[in-house]
């Protein structure tokens, strides 16, 4: 009989679980505890589906994590203000074309017009969205800096130029192929020639910019030390002969096509040399360009619109005039003044991720934005003449309708970007393919698996 005074721990008595005999093998096994007994044939209800708010929160959390990851991968030495300026320039051109270009449906076809033709007082819109000078400024800065880096690595000029032009011109092939097929299909369908001509002119109009930019890129070694005043003097003398003295051949104005865009390009080279680092230089460009443009528009008879207007006697862009060049100087000065603010803004991961995405496919966005607008316009014809899309931009009521169509244009452009962005970014290396860098830098006595 146990000693009741023994020092044993007191534990509550828990009876063992009852056992039942298995009907098949006759072996006892413990029964399920109460509350978890599931009868045969009972369906377990599925988990409650996520609400729309939960899905949005999860998507936003994923985007935020990806943005932070991209921010950590970006080298600290990268000047993010340069990428921000390039993105602003590309998006400015895209929005400008969508706002000041209209395809009007009439007489069974489409023809091009502009709200600036019917409402000239809307010309200040072109001051906001004609941002090509900023793109040439950034292009000159990046090209001259890239060439200097390539020379330090011992890379030849030919290989450097080939790499830059391949990235620049590779997306053009897809655009040309698509529009050759589209134009052939429209001809076979009996579409009026005037409509096909209007569509092709809009779709291929971005190519002139690429040809000029490619030519300036090829001439970068000759332009690294060129003073911007030299091409500015060429534009001044050409305009003096054209509009002041009304002399010279008809082709004389086209000398301004390379000379006019050479001004911001060589400013980019001066930026690389450190000549535009001070805010004083940026202020001189901004204030001097603004004052010169105001005088040329107000007193010399230059158009107030900084983009081409159908039917106008003089276009500031076709070819570039002195007013367009001085306006570009003001834009370049403003861009240089905003560098510090843009650098601070780009420290935010989400903003930097958006800028990086645009820069990764800048040429795809630029080349396909007109096609996206025309695809939306042509598809909308199935529903009839829609306001802001097919109607004439001859009244102020057209403007809010046009603004409402901008998200649709952006969605169509996103579809084009999804389909054709790989032409700009190039083929990706398969995951199971060995890296050439690893294979070349391993010692001969070792195998890759033993490294």
């Amino acid at each position: 009989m146990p000693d009741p005074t023994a020092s044993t721990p007191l534990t509550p008595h828990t009876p063992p679980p009852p056992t039942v005999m298995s009907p098949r093998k006759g072996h006892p096994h413990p029964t399920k505890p109460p509350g978890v007994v599931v009868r045969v044939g009972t369906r377990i209800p599925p988990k409650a589906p996520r609400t729309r708010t939960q899905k949005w929160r999860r998507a936003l959390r994923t985007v935020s994590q990806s943005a932070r990851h991209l921010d950590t991968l970006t080298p600290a030495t990268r000047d993010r203000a340069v990428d921000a300026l390039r993105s602003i320039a590309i998006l400015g051109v895209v929005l400008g074309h969508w706002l000041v270009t209209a395809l009007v449906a009439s007489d069974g076809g489409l023809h091009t017009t502009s709200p600036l033709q019917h409402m000239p007082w809307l010309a200040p819109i072109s001051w906001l969205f004609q941002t090509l000078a900023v793109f040439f400024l950034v292009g000159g800065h990046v090209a001259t800096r890239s060439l200097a880096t390539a020379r330090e690595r011992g890379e030849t000029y030919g290989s450097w130029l080939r790499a830059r032009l391949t990235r620049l011109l590779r997306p053009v092939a897809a655009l040309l192929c698509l529009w050759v097929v589209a134009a052939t299909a429209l001809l076979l369908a009996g579409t009026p020639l005037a409509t096909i001509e209007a569509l092709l002119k809009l779709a291929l109009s971005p190519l002139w910019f690429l040809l000029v930019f490619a030519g300036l890129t090829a001439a970068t070694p000759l332009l690294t030390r060129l003073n911007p005043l030299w091409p500015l003097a060429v534009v001044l003398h050409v305009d003096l002969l054209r509009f002041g003295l009304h002399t010279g051949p008809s082709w004389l104005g086209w000398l301004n096509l390379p000379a006019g865009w050479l001004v911001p390009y060589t400013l980019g080279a001066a930026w690389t040399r450190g000549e535009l680092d001070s805010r004083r230089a940026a202020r001189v460009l901004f204030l001097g360009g603004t004052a010169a443009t105001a005088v040329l528009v107000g007193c010399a008879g230059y158009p107030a619109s900084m983009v081409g207007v159908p039917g106008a006697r003089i276009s500031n862009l076709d070819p570039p005039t002195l007013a367009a060049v001085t306006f570009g100087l003001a834009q370049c000065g403003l861009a240089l003044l905003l560098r510090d603010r843009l650098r601070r803004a780009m420290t935010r991961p989400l903003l930097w991720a958006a800028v990086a995405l645009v820069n990764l496919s800048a040429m795809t966005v630029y080349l396909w934005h007109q096609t996206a607008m025309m695809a939306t316009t042509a598809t909308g014809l199935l529903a009839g003449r829609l306001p802001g899309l097919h109607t004439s931009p001859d009244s102020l009521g057209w403007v809010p309708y046009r603004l409402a169509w901008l998200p649709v244009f952006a969605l169509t452009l996103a579809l084009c970007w999804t389909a054709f962005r790989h032409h700009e970014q190039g083929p990706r290396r398969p995951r199971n393919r060995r890296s050439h860098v690893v294979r070349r830098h391993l010692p001969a006595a070792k195998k890759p698996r033993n490294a």
Side-chain angles (χ1 to χ4, degrees):
M1 193 168 176
D3 185 4
T5 62
S7 57
T8 57
L10 298 177
T11 57
H13 175 69
T14 56
T19 57
V20 295
M21 300 298 294
S22 173
R24 291 185 179 181
K25 297 183 180 181
H27 296 289
H29 63 83
T31 60
K32 299 285 184 181
V36 295
V37 177
V38 179
R39 297 180 179 179
V40 178
T42 303
R43 294 187 61 185
I44 301 176
K47 294 181 179 179
R50 291 188 178 94
T51 63
R52 183 174 300 179
T53 303
Q54 291 174 333
K55 292 180 179 179
W56 275 107
R57 287 178 179 174
R58 184 177 182 182
L60 291 176
R61 186 164 55 250
T62 303
V63 170
S64 179
Q65 291 174 352
S66 301
R68 286 195 296 269
H69 180 63
L70 177 63
D71 182 67
T72 57
L73 292 179
T74 305
T77 56
R78 188 177 185 89
D79 190 354
R80 302 187 182 191
V82 175
D83 299 279
L85 288 174
R86 185 189 293 113
S87 300
I88 292 172
I90 288 293
L91 295 180
V93 172
V94 170
L95 290 176
H97 282 166
W98 286 351
L99 287 173
V100 303
T101 305
L103 282 172
V104 178
S106 62
D107 301 328
L110 295 171
H111 69 273
T112 307
T113 185
S114 172
L116 301 179
Q117 183 180 3
H118 303 278
M119 296 175 284
W121 50 271
L122 289 178
I125 293 178
S126 66
W127 304 348
L128 297 175
F129 298 108
Q130 204 288 80
T131 52
L132 281 176
V134 178
F135 193 92
F136 278 94
L137 170 74
V138 174
H141 172 59
V142 173
T144 50
R145 190 175 58 181
S146 172
L147 180 61
T149 304
R151 286 173 172 173
E152 292 175 358
R153 294 197 305 262
E155 185 178 349
T156 64
Y157 164 74
S159 60
W160 171 84
L161 181 63
R162 191 182 310 112
R164 295 197 69 83
L165 293 187
T166 298
R167 176 69 184 272
L168 184 68
L169 301 178
R170 188 191 291 127
V172 176
L175 182 73
L176 292 177
C177 290
L178 182 138
W179 274 103
V180 166
V181 174
T184 304
L186 291 174
L187 280 174
L188 296 177
T191 306
L193 291 178
T195 299
I196 299 177
E197 181 182 358
L199 295 178
L200 288 177
K201 186 176 180 180
L202 280 180
L204 303 182
S205 60
L207 296 183
W208 73 262
F209 154 77
L210 288 184
L211 294 177
V212 175
F213 194 82
L216 296 182
T217 301
T220 298
L222 304 176
L223 305 177
T224 53
R225 294 290 176 181
L226 182 65
N227 194 308
L229 292 177
W230 288 109
L232 181 60
V234 172
V235 176
L236 173 63
H237 285 82
V238 168
D239 273 20
L240 182 62
L241 293 175
R242 291 173 63 200
F243 306 128
L245 302 178
H246 301 283
T247 59
S250 58
W251 53 262
L252 185 63
W254 292 104
L255 292 177
N256 283 353
L257 184 60
W261 299 117
L262 193 56
V263 174
Y265 195 87
T266 51
L267 279 175
W271 181 4
T272 303
R273 297 194 300 266
E275 298 175 5
L276 301 179
D277 289 342
S278 66
R279 294 185 64 84
R280 181 177 178 273
R283 289 193 192 97
V284 169
L285 283 174
F286 175 64
L287 297 177
T290 302
T293 305
V295 171
L296 291 172
V297 172
C299 303
Y302 283 86
S305 172
M306 290 300 150
V307 297
V309 179
R313 185 177 62 89
I314 300 175
S315 171
N316 274 324
L317 280 186
D318 192 21
T321 63
L322 182 61
V325 174
T326 56
F327 179 77
L329 291 177
Q331 281 189 322
C332 292
L334 180 60
L336 295 173
L337 286 173
L338 294 176
R339 282 177 296 181
D340 293 336
R341 292 188 179 183
L342 289 174
R343 290 189 186 104
R344 290 193 295 269
M346 290 302 105
T347 57
R348 301 177 181 178
L350 286 177
L351 282 178
W352 171 239
V355 166
L357 181 63
V358 173
N359 276 272
L360 192 63
S361 306
M363 286 299 100
T364 302
V365 172
Y366 175 76
L367 287 175
W368 289 94
H369 74 279
Q370 294 281 53
T371 301
M373 182 189 70
M374 288 183 286
T376 304
T377 305
T379 306
L381 282 174
L382 300 176
R385 297 180 77 252
L386 301 175
L389 194 61
H390 308 113
T391 55
S392 179
D394 53 4
S395 65
L396 190 59
W398 180 88
V399 176
Y401 283 111
R402 189 62 165 191
L403 293 175
W405 282 106
L406 294 184
V408 184
F409 294 160
L411 179 61
T412 310
L413 179 58
L415 296 177
C416 295
W417 174 83
T418 303
F420 300 104
R421 63 186 174 90
H422 64 279
H423 291 282
E424 179 177 0
Q425 299 172 8
R428 293 183 178 180
R429 190 185 68 186
R431 292 184 178 181
N432 56 353
R433 175 181 164 189
R434 290 181 180 178
S435 171
H436 292 289
V437 177
V438 173
R439 188 164 63 245
R440 289 177 183 176
H441 286 79
L442 285 175
K446 293 185 179 181
K447 297 182 180 179
R449 60 186 178 86
N450 297 327

